[in-house]
Amino acid sequence: AQIHLDRPLVAHREDRFIIRSYSPMTTIGGGRILDPRPAKHRRFRKEVMAALAELESGETFFLLQKLAQQGCARAKDLEQLAGLGRERTASLLDALAKEGKAVGLGDQWASAETARSWRHRLVEATARFHGENPLLPGIPHATLKGTLPPQLSPKGFEELLRAAGAGSELVQEGEWLRRPNFTPTPTPEQATAIARIEDAYREAGPQAKNKQEMLDRISLEPTAAEPCLAYLFAAGRLVKLSEESFFDAATYCRAINLLKEHFAAHETLSLGEFRDLLESARKPVQALLEHFDALKYTMRKGDVRVAWKLP
């Protein structure tokens, strides 16, 4: 039976109870609590009756049911739900893990079936992302985590990634994850566009204009250019300073060297000074210095920058 109360009641698993009617005050019956915080059940379902029978049969079934209902849970939460002590809960979970019925995911636990399902979902999401973004080296770490339920902790997600890597299902390279057999492969048309974009930025060097002006120079539409730009960013052949300002890799390396050389002899750096050193224009240099601030190479103090954690 599932009991609906008219006001909250503190109860624990295995507590005994008596039900009485209001008027007349008659004892109707009594019983033992199997689950103090159940999911709402439909009446007379065979699967519900079977689940209740499992709950009645022991503590391990209770833990497995809660894991199945919640997806994942901390041992502390399971301990409170089951009304068991910490050591008893830990012992039961370890036993379930040895039997292949539960899996520890960082600071959480999940049923083995749920963990397998989530790993499969990660692999499917990665393969689908490859199909939709064939020029990117993989799916971003944060994007992939978003395909799983939000209650899964970052540690639990990392544990699933390790398991998928050990099973040769996924490969992680920095913030990118990919299927083992995947390699970004531009079409002939895209390869031509990539070469034109890279040549344009290499020729412009520190004088590179904003994105639209650079694309106009080579008569390339933004819709066709975006995946090519993403490919160049991921490959490190083009560096994104802001949404509109990019430098080719050689120019960017030269800018970093100039930054280090300047701070070897000076305590501060103004935008105008760096613009003259780089022989560039104000807007791209401003984007570059803000990029250095974000990387913590420099720190802005008023109208100047000071060295912070130079590369």
Side-chain angles (χ1 to χ4, degrees):
Q2 185 167 28
I3 301 172
H4 297 266
L5 303 169
D6 58 2
R7 63 179 181 270
L9 173 72
V10 176
H12 291 280
R13 177 174 162 80
E14 299 295 334
D15 280 356
R16 297 183 179 278
F17 64 88
I18 293 173
I19 296 179
R20 291 191 176 99
S21 62
Y22 285 111
S23 181
M25 186 67 76
T26 304
T27 298
I28 298 171
R32 183 163 50 93
I33 294 174
L34 299 179
D35 187 352
R37 291 171 58 186
K40 186 176 180 179
H41 299 304
R42 298 287 296 275
R43 294 191 300 168
F44 311 128
R45 296 282 182 94
K46 289 183 179 180
E47 63 271 20
V48 172
M49 300 303 290
L52 289 173
E54 284 186 349
L55 284 181
E56 192 175 16
S57 65
E59 296 161 336
T60 55
F61 289 105
F62 178 85
L63 293 176
L64 283 174
Q65 278 202 27
K66 283 302 171 187
L67 288 176
Q69 289 172 7
Q70 299 187 15
C72 60
R74 297 181 303 169
K76 181 179 180 181
D77 297 330
L78 293 170
E79 172 191 334
Q80 292 175 349
L81 287 170
L84 302 171
R86 181 179 302 176
E87 291 183 4
R88 179 61 177 161
T89 303
S91 175
L92 289 170
L93 289 171
D94 288 341
L96 287 170
K98 290 177 182 177
E99 293 172 11
K101 295 178 180 178
V103 177
L105 297 177
D107 53 352
Q108 295 175 311
W109 286 83
S111 70
E113 183 179 349
T114 295
R116 282 193 296 270
S117 172
W118 284 353
R119 270 178 63 179
H120 183 65
R121 191 186 302 184
L122 292 179
V123 173
E124 282 192 330
T126 302
R128 186 165 56 251
F129 191 89
H130 289 335
E132 296 168 354
N133 304 273
L135 293 187
L136 290 180
I139 183 171
H141 183 276
T143 303
L144 188 58
K145 186 179 187 309
T147 64
L148 295 181
Q151 67 263 32
L152 179 65
S153 70
K155 289 181 180 179
F157 176 62
E158 293 301 329
E159 190 65 36
L160 281 175
L161 290 184
R162 278 192 288 273
S168 300
E169 296 170 323
L170 294 176
V171 176
Q172 183 165 5
E173 295 172 341
E175 286 299 302
W176 303 96
L177 290 118
R178 62 174 175 84
R179 296 284 285 135
N181 58 352
F182 175 76
T183 302
T185 307
T187 64
E189 293 79 8
Q190 289 172 329
T192 300
I194 288 168
R196 289 168 62 196
I197 293 171
E198 192 171 17
D199 288 345
Y201 275 95
R202 187 185 301 112
E203 291 170 8
Q207 296 293 333
K209 303 296 183 182
N210 65 52
K211 178 174 69 174
Q212 189 57 56
E213 289 185 65
M214 294 298 289
L215 295 181
D216 288 342
R217 287 187 182 184
I218 55 177
S219 303
L220 194 62
E221 291 294 325
T223 52
E226 287 303 330
C228 300
L229 288 168
Y231 177 86
L232 288 167
F233 296 150
R237 289 153 60 180
L238 208 61
V239 180
K240 187 176 186 178
L241 309 177
S242 70
E243 291 300 320
E244 294 298 323
S245 295
F246 318 138
F247 275 172
D248 71 285
T251 300
Y252 181 74
C253 288
R254 176 170 169 260
I256 289 178
N257 289 332
L258 287 172
L259 184 77
K260 293 191 289 187
E261 289 172 6
H262 177 87
F263 279 119
H266 305 84
E267 291 187 0
T268 64
L269 173 68
S270 69
L271 189 152
E273 287 174 328
F274 203 53
R275 178 195 60 203
D276 294 341
L277 284 172
L278 194 58
E279 298 178 328
S280 183
R282 180 180 179 82
K283 283 187 177 180
V285 170
Q286 182 175 349
L288 180 62
L289 289 176
E290 289 174 355
H291 171 78
F292 287 156
D293 293 342
L295 293 175
K296 297 184 179 181
Y297 292 171
T298 56
M299 180 188 296
R300 183 172 179 175
K301 290 190 174 182
D303 293 332
V304 298
R305 262 99 178 163
V306 296
W308 190 2
K309 298 177 182 178
L310 293 175

